[in-house]
Amino acid sequence: MKNMKTVMMAVTFAVGALAAGCQTTANLPAPVSQPITSDVLQAYNWQLVDAKRSNGDQITQLFFDPAKPLTLNFMSDNGRDYMAFMNTCNNMSAGYSVVNGDVQIKNGISTMMACPEPQASFDTAATATVQGKYSLSKNAKNVPILTIKNDNQVAYFKAVSK
């Protein structure tokens, strides 16, 4: 009888702890999606924090130098919106527009320096990374996160002050 009472107390405690844990996670806010506008994109620089292929493998070409991550700088000049790539070997930029919340990249330009490896692969991977569906959310620390997803990969950029 004493063993049965101990077992019942243990089960009661375990169920109570499980329920308390569920209530805690149920009260956490879900990631909040935000509309994409040029103003939001231009408010920050966007530093790459993760990029994975559709099979889950990291895109290693984008992480060869952790001290110089791919960073996107959206800006406007004389009414023209464009994005500059930071930390690439070549100077690279592209025009962009936001149409109904979708970012459209166009007219990419680049210097044509003969970059050695791994910088050449970094530049190529950077160009592929900005093509796709853009979305904005905030992480658990309330930092804006820009996600770019296409059929081949997904990349996450955190907002950093300009």
Side-chain angles (χ1 to χ4, degrees), residues 48-66:
L48 183 68
V49 293
D50 194 18
K52 295 200 180 334
R53 299 186 196 294
S54 55
N55 67 3
D57 292 344
Q58 186 178 58
I59 302 171
T60 56
Q61 295 88 342
L62 292 170
F63 299 96
F64 81 94
D65 186 353

Side-chain angles (χ1 to χ4, degrees), residues 66-132:
K68 295 183 180 180
L70 174 61
T71 303
L72 306 177
N73 181 6
F74 292 86
M75 59 194 104
S76 185
D77 184 35
N78 293 323
R80 180 180 160 263
D81 289 335
Y82 69 99
M83 164 185 43
F85 296 71
M86 298 167 69
N87 297 325
T88 53
C89 177
N90 281 289
N91 292 322
M92 300 167 44
S93 66
Y96 82 92
S97 60
V98 179
V99 179
N100 297 323
D102 288 329
V103 177
Q104 298 173 353
I105 305 297
K106 54 191 172 201
N107 305 328
I109 59 172
S110 173
T111 58
M112 300 296 288
M113 296 189 325
C115 300
E117 288 298 334
Q119 290 91 343
S121 293
F122 179 82
D123 285 9
T124 301
T127 302
T129 299
V130 300
Q131 301 294 330

Side-chain angles (χ1 to χ4, degrees), residues 27-42:
N27 293 331
L28 290 176
V32 177
S33 195
Q34 300 177 305
I36 294 186
T37 65
S38 287
D39 289 342
V40 171
L41 292 173
Q42 293 178 19

